[in-house]
PDB file of all heavy atoms in Angstrom:
ATOM      1  N   PRO J  61      -2.674  31.928  11.891  1.00  0.00           N
ATOM      2  CA  PRO J  61      -3.521  32.933  11.295  1.00  0.00           C
ATOM      3  C   PRO J  61      -4.347  32.448  10.089  1.00  0.00           C
ATOM      4  O   PRO J  61      -4.064  31.418   9.535  1.00  0.00           O
ATOM      5  CB  PRO J  61      -2.519  34.025  10.889  1.00  0.00           C
ATOM      6  CG  PRO J  61      -1.212  33.323  10.804  1.00  0.00           C
ATOM      7  CD  PRO J  61      -1.242  32.199  11.816  1.00  0.00           C
ATOM      8  N   GLY J  62      -5.350  33.240   9.760  1.00  0.00           N
ATOM      9  CA  GLY J  62      -6.246  32.914   8.684  1.00  0.00           C
ATOM     10  C   GLY J  62      -5.594  32.767   7.337  1.00  0.00           C
ATOM     11  O   GLY J  62      -6.203  32.202   6.416  1.00  0.00           O
ATOM     12  N   ARG J  63      -4.388  33.239   7.206  1.00  0.00           N
ATOM     13  CA  ARG J  63      -3.593  33.056   5.922  1.00  0.00           C
ATOM     14  C   ARG J  63      -3.378  31.567   5.569  1.00  0.00           C
ATOM     15  O   ARG J  63      -3.170  31.232   4.453  1.00  0.00           O
ATOM     16  CB  ARG J  63      -2.273  33.796   5.956  1.00  0.00           C
ATOM     17  CG  ARG J  63      -2.313  35.257   6.257  1.00  0.00           C
ATOM     18  CD  ARG J  63      -0.917  35.893   6.177  1.00  0.00           C
ATOM     19  NE  ARG J  63      -0.004  35.382   7.149  1.00  0.00           N
ATOM     20  CZ  ARG J  63       1.035  34.493   6.843  1.00  0.00           C
ATOM     21  NH1 ARG J  63       1.220  34.133   5.589  1.00  0.00           N
ATOM     22  NH2 ARG J  63       1.839  34.171   7.790  1.00  0.00           N
ATOM     23  N   PHE J  64      -3.427  30.796   6.615  1.00  0.00           N
ATOM     24  CA  PHE J  64      -3.254  29.323   6.422  1.00  0.00           C
ATOM     25  C   PHE J  64      -4.639  28.697   6.329  1.00  0.00           C
ATOM     26  O   PHE J  64      -5.496  28.802   7.198  1.00  0.00           O
ATOM     27  CB  PHE J  64      -2.558  28.748   7.580  1.00  0.00           C
ATOM     28  CG  PHE J  64      -1.092  29.152   7.741  1.00  0.00           C
ATOM     29  CD1 PHE J  64      -0.765  30.361   8.306  1.00  0.00           C
ATOM     30  CD2 PHE J  64      -0.092  28.394   7.197  1.00  0.00           C
ATOM     31  CE1 PHE J  64       0.524  30.784   8.377  1.00  0.00           C
ATOM     32  CE2 PHE J  64       1.283  28.812   7.313  1.00  0.00           C
ATOM     33  CZ  PHE J  64       1.534  30.018   7.968  1.00  0.00           C
ATOM     34  N   SER J  65      -4.907  28.078   5.202  1.00  0.00           N
ATOM     35  CA  SER J  65      -6.208  27.432   4.989  1.00  0.00           C
ATOM     36  C   SER J  65      -5.976  26.100   4.318  1.00  0.00           C
ATOM     37  O   SER J  65      -4.916  25.795   3.840  1.00  0.00           O
ATOM     38  CB  SER J  65      -7.130  28.323   4.174  1.00  0.00           C
ATOM     39  OG  SER J  65      -6.555  28.541   2.898  1.00  0.00           O
ATOM     40  N   GLY J  66      -7.055  25.349   4.228  1.00  0.00           N
ATOM     41  CA  GLY J  66      -6.917  24.031   3.591  1.00  0.00           C
ATOM     42  C   GLY J  66      -8.258  23.539   3.033  1.00  0.00           C
ATOM     43  O   GLY J  66      -9.284  24.251   3.268  1.00  0.00           O
ATOM     44  N   ARG J  67      -8.240  22.423   2.422  1.00  0.00           N
ATOM     45  CA  ARG J  67      -9.512  21.823   2.022  1.00  0.00           C
ATOM     46  C   ARG J  67      -9.270  20.370   1.762  1.00  0.00           C
ATOM     47  O   ARG J  67      -8.090  19.906   1.564  1.00  0.00           O
ATOM     48  CB  ARG J  67     -10.092  22.523   0.741  1.00  0.00           C
ATOM     49  CG  ARG J  67      -9.197  22.472  -0.479  1.00  0.00           C
ATOM     50  CD  ARG J  67      -9.921  23.112  -1.608  1.00  0.00           C
ATOM     51  NE  ARG J  67      -9.089  23.199  -2.829  1.00  0.00           N
ATOM     52  CZ  ARG J  67      -9.548  23.540  -4.049  1.00  0.00           C
ATOM     53  NH1 ARG J  67     -10.873  23.819  -4.178  1.00  0.00           N
ATOM     54  NH2 ARG J  67      -8.754  23.620  -5.070  1.00  0.00           N
ATOM     55  N   GLN J  68     -10.300  19.611   1.748  1.00  0.00           N
ATOM     56  CA  GLN J  68     -10.212  18.216   1.418  1.00  0.00           C
ATOM     57  C   GLN J  68     -11.230  17.847   0.407  1.00  0.00           C
ATOM     58  O   GLN J  68     -12.410  18.323   0.434  1.00  0.00           O
ATOM     59  CB  GLN J  68     -10.467  17.339   2.728  1.00  0.00           C
ATOM     60  CG  GLN J  68     -10.185  15.906   2.496  1.00  0.00           C
ATOM     61  CD  GLN J  68     -10.434  15.093   3.793  1.00  0.00           C
ATOM     62  OE1 GLN J  68     -11.336  15.380   4.598  1.00  0.00           O
ATOM     63  NE2 GLN J  68      -9.597  14.007   3.994  1.00  0.00           N
ATOM     64  N   PHE J  69     -10.864  16.965  -0.530  1.00  0.00           N
ATOM     65  CA  PHE J  69     -11.755  16.571  -1.601  1.00  0.00           C
ATOM     66  C   PHE J  69     -12.448  15.243  -1.226  1.00  0.00           C
ATOM     67  O   PHE J  69     -12.076  14.592  -0.280  1.00  0.00           O
ATOM     68  CB  PHE J  69     -10.930  16.472  -2.861  1.00  0.00           C
ATOM     69  CG  PHE J  69     -10.222  17.724  -3.282  1.00  0.00           C
ATOM     70  CD1 PHE J  69      -8.887  17.949  -2.893  1.00  0.00           C
ATOM     71  CD2 PHE J  69     -10.822  18.759  -3.959  1.00  0.00           C
ATOM     72  CE1 PHE J  69      -8.242  19.183  -3.211  1.00  0.00           C
ATOM     73  CE2 PHE J  69     -10.223  19.920  -4.274  1.00  0.00           C
ATOM     74  CZ  PHE J  69      -8.927  20.133  -3.915  1.00  0.00           C
ATOM     75  N   SER J  70     -13.393  14.901  -2.090  1.00  0.00           N
ATOM     76  CA  SER J  70     -14.152  13.691  -1.836  1.00  0.00           C
ATOM     77  C   SER J  70     -13.334  12.452  -1.818  1.00  0.00           C
ATOM     78  O   SER J  70     -13.728  11.416  -1.247  1.00  0.00           O
ATOM     79  CB  SER J  70     -15.352  13.574  -2.854  1.00  0.00           C
ATOM     80  OG  SER J  70     -14.798  13.511  -4.156  1.00  0.00           O
ATOM     81  N   ASN J  71     -12.231  12.425  -2.507  1.00  0.00           N
ATOM     82  CA  ASN J  71     -11.300  11.247  -2.477  1.00  0.00           C
ATOM     83  C   ASN J  71     -10.307  11.288  -1.346  1.00  0.00           C
ATOM     84  O   ASN J  71      -9.358  10.565  -1.271  1.00  0.00           O
ATOM     85  CB  ASN J  71     -10.583  11.127  -3.823  1.00  0.00           C
ATOM     86  CG  ASN J  71      -9.704  12.330  -4.116  1.00  0.00           C
ATOM     87  OD1 ASN J  71      -9.625  13.267  -3.315  1.00  0.00           O
ATOM     88  ND2 ASN J  71      -8.950  12.282  -5.195  1.00  0.00           N
ATOM     89  N   SER J  72     -10.475  12.220  -0.391  1.00  0.00           N
ATOM     90  CA  SER J  72      -9.711  12.424   0.825  1.00  0.00           C
ATOM     91  C   SER J  72      -8.385  13.156   0.546  1.00  0.00           C
ATOM     92  O   SER J  72      -7.676  13.500   1.504  1.00  0.00           O
ATOM     93  CB  SER J  72      -9.389  11.102   1.542  1.00  0.00           C
ATOM     94  OG  SER J  72     -10.612  10.614   2.097  1.00  0.00           O
ATOM     95  N   ARG J  73      -8.060  13.384  -0.683  1.00  0.00           N
ATOM     96  CA  ARG J  73      -6.846  14.208  -0.923  1.00  0.00           C
ATOM     97  C   ARG J  73      -7.104  15.619  -0.331  1.00  0.00           C
ATOM     98  O   ARG J  73      -8.162  16.127  -0.296  1.00  0.00           O
ATOM     99  CB  ARG J  73      -6.583  14.291  -2.452  1.00  0.00           C
ATOM    100  CG  ARG J  73      -5.233  14.919  -2.779  1.00  0.00           C
ATOM    101  CD  ARG J  73      -5.065  14.935  -4.326  1.00  0.00           C
ATOM    102  NE  ARG J  73      -5.928  15.864  -5.024  1.00  0.00           N
ATOM    103  CZ  ARG J  73      -5.656  17.171  -5.165  1.00  0.00           C
ATOM    104  NH1 ARG J  73      -4.553  17.660  -4.706  1.00  0.00           N
ATOM    105  NH2 ARG J  73      -6.521  17.956  -5.826  1.00  0.00           N
ATOM    106  N   SER J  74      -5.930  16.168   0.061  1.00  0.00           N
ATOM    107  CA  SER J  74      -6.094  17.477   0.712  1.00  0.00           C
ATOM    108  C   SER J  74      -5.111  18.462   0.144  1.00  0.00           C
ATOM    109  O   SER J  74      -3.968  18.102  -0.372  1.00  0.00           O
ATOM    110  CB  SER J  74      -5.852  17.348   2.194  1.00  0.00           C
ATOM    111  OG  SER J  74      -5.921  18.552   2.910  1.00  0.00           O
ATOM    112  N   GLU J  75      -5.440  19.738   0.199  1.00  0.00           N
ATOM    113  CA  GLU J  75      -4.522  20.811  -0.162  1.00  0.00           C
ATOM    114  C   GLU J  75      -4.442  21.800   0.946  1.00  0.00           C
ATOM    115  O   GLU J  75      -5.418  22.027   1.700  1.00  0.00           O
ATOM    116  CB  GLU J  75      -5.019  21.528  -1.465  1.00  0.00           C
ATOM    117  CG  GLU J  75      -4.858  20.723  -2.729  1.00  0.00           C
ATOM    118  CD  GLU J  75      -5.339  21.457  -3.964  1.00  0.00           C
ATOM    119  OE1 GLU J  75      -6.007  22.546  -3.776  1.00  0.00           O
ATOM    120  OE2 GLU J  75      -5.067  21.012  -5.048  1.00  0.00           O
ATOM    121  N   MET J  76      -3.281  22.431   1.067  1.00  0.00           N
ATOM    122  CA  MET J  76      -3.065  23.461   2.043  1.00  0.00           C
ATOM    123  C   MET J  76      -2.662  24.742   1.316  1.00  0.00           C
ATOM    124  O   MET J  76      -1.795  24.656   0.407  1.00  0.00           O
ATOM    125  CB  MET J  76      -2.008  23.067   3.051  1.00  0.00           C
ATOM    126  CG  MET J  76      -1.972  24.013   4.227  1.00  0.00           C
ATOM    127  SD  MET J  76      -0.472  23.785   5.249  1.00  0.00           S
ATOM    128  CE  MET J  76       0.608  24.897   4.432  1.00  0.00           C
ATOM    129  N   ASN J  77      -3.207  25.852   1.631  1.00  0.00           N
ATOM    130  CA  ASN J  77      -2.885  27.145   1.020  1.00  0.00           C
ATOM    131  C   ASN J  77      -2.412  28.092   1.994  1.00  0.00           C
ATOM    132  O   ASN J  77      -2.932  28.243   3.095  1.00  0.00           O
ATOM    133  CB  ASN J  77      -4.130  27.655   0.305  1.00  0.00           C
ATOM    134  CG  ASN J  77      -3.844  28.897  -0.473  1.00  0.00           C
ATOM    135  OD1 ASN J  77      -3.861  30.002   0.040  1.00  0.00           O
ATOM    136  ND2 ASN J  77      -3.531  28.772  -1.769  1.00  0.00           N
ATOM    137  N   VAL J  78      -1.325  28.829   1.652  1.00  0.00           N
ATOM    138  CA  VAL J  78      -0.822  29.921   2.475  1.00  0.00           C
ATOM    139  C   VAL J  78      -0.817  31.163   1.606  1.00  0.00           C
ATOM    140  O   VAL J  78      -0.216  31.173   0.510  1.00  0.00           O
ATOM    141  CB  VAL J  78       0.571  29.669   2.986  1.00  0.00           C
ATOM    142  CG1 VAL J  78       0.932  30.757   4.012  1.00  0.00           C
ATOM    143  CG2 VAL J  78       0.699  28.340   3.683  1.00  0.00           C
ATOM    144  N   SER J  79      -1.590  32.179   1.983  1.00  0.00           N
ATOM    145  CA  SER J  79      -1.657  33.373   1.223  1.00  0.00           C
ATOM    146  C   SER J  79      -0.704  34.466   1.824  1.00  0.00           C
ATOM    147  O   SER J  79      -0.262  34.359   2.973  1.00  0.00           O
ATOM    148  CB  SER J  79      -3.067  33.921   1.207  1.00  0.00           C
ATOM    149  OG  SER J  79      -3.474  34.232   2.520  1.00  0.00           O
ATOM    150  N   THR J  80      -0.365  35.456   1.022  1.00  0.00           N
ATOM    151  CA  THR J  80       0.471  36.564   1.470  1.00  0.00           C
ATOM    152  C   THR J  80       1.681  36.059   2.285  1.00  0.00           C
ATOM    153  O   THR J  80       1.815  36.336   3.457  1.00  0.00           O
ATOM    154  CB  THR J  80      -0.344  37.589   2.274  1.00  0.00           C
ATOM    155  OG1 THR J  80      -1.644  37.823   1.705  1.00  0.00           O
ATOM    156  CG2 THR J  80       0.417  38.907   2.321  1.00  0.00           C
TER     157      THR J  80
END
Side-chain angles (χ1 to χ4, degrees):
Chain J
R63 299 185 299 107
F64 293 82
S65 64
R67 60 177 176 170
Q68 186 180 35
F69 302 95
S70 58
N71 61 358
S72 293
R73 189 178 71 86
S74 178
E75 289 181 347
M76 191 193 91
N77 184 274
V78 187
S79 63
T80 318

